[in-house]
Amino acid sequence: MSPLNSWYPFPMDTDFSIYNLPFGIFKPGRASARAGMAVGEEIMDLTILQELGLFDGIFLQDPSVFYADALNDFIALGKETTSAIRLRVQQLLFLENEELKSHPERSKVFFKQNAVQMLLPVRIGDYTDFYSSEQHATNVGSMFRDPANALLPNWKHLPVGYHGRASSIVISGTALHRPKGQTKADDAATPTFGPSKQVDFELEMAFVIGKNSDLGEAISTGHAADSIFGFLLFNDWSARDLQKWEYVPLGPFLAKNFGSSVSPWLVTAEALEPFKVAGPKQEPEVLPYLQFSGLHHYDLNLSVSIAPKESAETVVCRSNYRHMYWNTVQQLAHHTVNGCNLRIGDLLASGTISGPEADSYGSMLELAWKGSKPLKLSDGSTRSFIHDHDTVVIRGWAEKEGMRVGFGEVRTEVLPAKD
Ligand code: MN
């Protein structure tokens, strides 16, 4: 694919290139929330494009669908409509297209991203977190159990996951308080209560469900892609000391549900299509319902930075979404194989994405190896876990043959525990 020419002045190396055109929800000043699309450092207001008649020819049952505080109703129109809108905006930006470029009301369409408030792109009904990076599961298993048998017997037979909490998923820029809870030291007889001393990030990707399924309906790996609307960066905040004490036998609870952070721009599955790659060979062979054909991994660069208060950022992790053992269609097929129904706006997260190198691990737990190898930041301070007033920034972008499709960032400051 050769680079597309546009009359719009896209900045060099922007995540929000003409190949991307992700959807989001924004609020300009005191005006009501509406749907927009990121272009360079600006947003195109889809309500205005609609009002100017620039979507004429694309059937929208309810033309006010873009005046909304979430994309759920728009997504419900189906991929035929949502991709027609995206491709129409792309066409409006083509060099030779004058419809918007020469429109007398063109300036009404554009807003500076840094001058508006972003909202969560979808109303998230349910949230599921997987545990699908082999390196991550191996690291955690080695630290807490036995390096020789780091993976539990089920791990290579099914994508392990748990149901998380949707109410505490927040948009990038929302600060979170350090959680309080119970912890118990190994040599203590009883637990104590107080602020977590081991707040950690988890570098993850999440995909958003774009199609309702029925209770009792299993979605095959071959049909799963139809149900995936798009992707977000996801930080699954974790309190390791709370987690260690509480997780047996039912798994994560208060160590996880105090907050998870997502990026604002919902990058469509179509935009990521050119960056698909093969995943690892799965050995032993998986059961038939988890077998798949085609490419379902993504070559998507990921990074995590820590910025202490009033200090520069230090990149502490460089990973890639391709480092997954279980892919999205397997996760979706497994999630529904028992008849569990999915709804538009549900969010399925990958699990911590750790690569093979020590600087590609997707959590502080692994990067600083349970506190035994603290990381040095550029301001000279060290970290085993996240300190109060640290800001953690996750970024993600794919690049190939002059095309760049990125997510921007998800940025979260950790505040002191509430009194
Ligand atoms: Mn997680």
Side-chain angles (χ1 to χ4, degrees):
M1 196 175 181
S2 60
L4 298 174
N5 284 322
S6 173
W7 55 264
Y8 183 80
F10 284 98
M12 285 286 284
D13 297 327
T14 179
D15 279 356
F16 305 117
S17 68
I18 194 167
Y19 304 100
N20 190 350
L21 305 176
F23 295 98
I25 295 289
F26 73 107
K27 222 169 129 19
R30 292 204 193 103
S32 57
R34 71 231 10 236
M37 203 173 252
V39 283
E41 288 162 7
E42 295 188 300
I43 299 172
M44 295 173 79
D45 186 332
L46 298 180
T47 67
I48 306 290
L49 289 174
Q50 155 80 17
E51 281 169 19
L52 297 180
L54 292 166
F55 293 150
D56 289 359
I58 299 171
F59 177 69
L60 296 168
Q61 207 145 30
D62 175 6
S64 67
V65 69
F66 298 119
Y67 276 109
D69 60 5
L71 292 165
N72 299 54
D73 292 344
F74 173 62
I75 293 171
L77 298 174
K79 279 201 191 188
E80 207 180 308
T81 306
T82 58
S83 52
I85 292 290
R86 181 172 162 273
L87 292 176
R88 173 64 176 149
V89 175
Q90 190 177 59
Q91 183 186 45
L92 291 171
L93 295 167
F94 284 165
L95 191 59
E96 66 277 12
N97 191 299
E98 297 285 335
E99 291 170 89
L100 177 62
K101 185 185 174 191
S102 307
H103 201 289
E105 302 205 73
R106 169 177 141 185
S107 65
K108 284 171 70 182
V109 172
F110 293 92
F111 291 82
K112 289 271 178 226
Q113 282 175 31
N114 61 16
V116 304
Q117 186 196 351
M118 295 303 298
L119 306 179
L120 283 174
V122 283
R123 259 187 322 278
I124 302 165
D126 282 300
Y127 149 52
T128 300
D129 195 25
F130 286 97
Y131 188 58
S132 290
S133 145
E134 182 173 2
Q135 189 68 55
H136 173 67
T138 303
N139 288 344
V140 174
S142 302
M143 267 184 259
F144 291 102
R145 287 186 302 271
D146 172 12
N149 294 294
L151 295 181
L152 288 167
N154 61 2
W155 200 88
K156 289 203 164 180
H157 294 280
L158 55 86
V160 170
Y162 69 96
H163 285 121
R165 181 86 195 158
S167 67
S168 52
I169 297 178
V170 297
I171 188 80
S172 176
T174 310
L176 291 171
H177 285 277
R178 178 175 296 276
K180 292 190 281 193
Q182 284 196 26
T183 57
K184 193 184 87 63
D186 288 336
D187 55 0
T190 53
T192 55
F193 179 82
S196 166
K197 294 185 178 72
Q198 298 185 346
V199 169
D200 198 358
F201 59 80
E202 287 191 341
L203 166 61
E204 304 197 17
M205 292 297 299
F207 61 91
V208 171
I209 296 300
K211 202 172 165 184
N212 293 325
S213 65
D214 294 328
L215 186 63
E217 177 190 355
I219 300 171
S220 68
T221 58
H223 287 108
D226 299 341
S227 299
I228 300 174
F229 181 79
F231 293 80
L232 298 169
L233 301 171
F234 192 77
N235 185 345
D236 179 24
W237 289 98
S238 302
R240 301 298 177 195
D241 42 359
L242 274 59
Q243 187 175 359
K244 186 165 179 265
W245 171 233
E246 76 170 3
Y247 88 102
V248 277
L250 287 186
F253 190 35
L254 305 183
K256 299 283 190 174
N257 68 10
F258 63 95
S260 312
S261 311
V262 293
S263 54
W265 293 106
L266 186 46
V267 174
T268 60
E270 293 99 277
L272 289 179
E273 194 69 25
F275 306 101
K276 280 184 163 177
V277 290
K281 183 174 163 53
Q282 295 186 323
E283 188 65 49
E285 192 179 5
V286 298
L287 286 168
Y289 82 93
L290 289 169
Q291 292 170 11
F292 63 94
S293 58
L295 303 178
H296 297 287
H297 281 66
Y298 296 92
D299 182 8
L300 177 74
N301 302 295
L302 297 164
S303 74
V304 186
S305 300
I306 299 175
K309 191 171 189 158
E310 282 153 31
S311 283
E313 270 182 41
T314 304
V315 177
V316 295
C317 162
R318 290 177 204 278
S319 187
N320 192 299
Y321 192 24
R322 70 191 301 165
H323 298 311
M324 302 293 294
Y325 189 81
W326 299 101
N327 63 43
T328 55
V329 301
Q330 292 181 306
Q331 290 170 335
L332 205 143
H334 185 64
H335 204 308
T336 60
V337 74
N338 64 345
C340 172
N341 49 331
L342 297 173
R343 291 177 297 199
I344 291 168
D346 286 355
L347 200 140
L348 275 60
S350 58
T352 307
I353 304 167
S354 295
E357 298 88 19
D359 64 352
S360 65
Y361 297 167
S363 66
M364 290 301 288
L365 177 70
E366 297 160 86
L367 289 164
W369 208 260
K370 238 171 130 181
S372 67
K373 298 179 195 165
L375 298 185
K376 199 161 182 185
L377 304 186
S378 60
D379 68 355
S381 63
T382 58
R383 291 292 182 284
S384 290
F385 293 97
I386 301 302
H387 291 184
D388 287 347
H389 300 294
D390 282 353
T391 295
V392 173
V393 187
I394 295 179
R395 297 188 177 88
W397 68 98
E399 230 165 357
K400 185 184 174 181
E401 295 159 17
M403 285 185 285
R404 183 174 166 116
V405 171
F407 286 77
E409 58 184 36
V410 53
R411 170 183 291 270
T412 318
E413 183 183 356
V414 173
L415 299 176
K418 279 199 164 173
D419 291 335

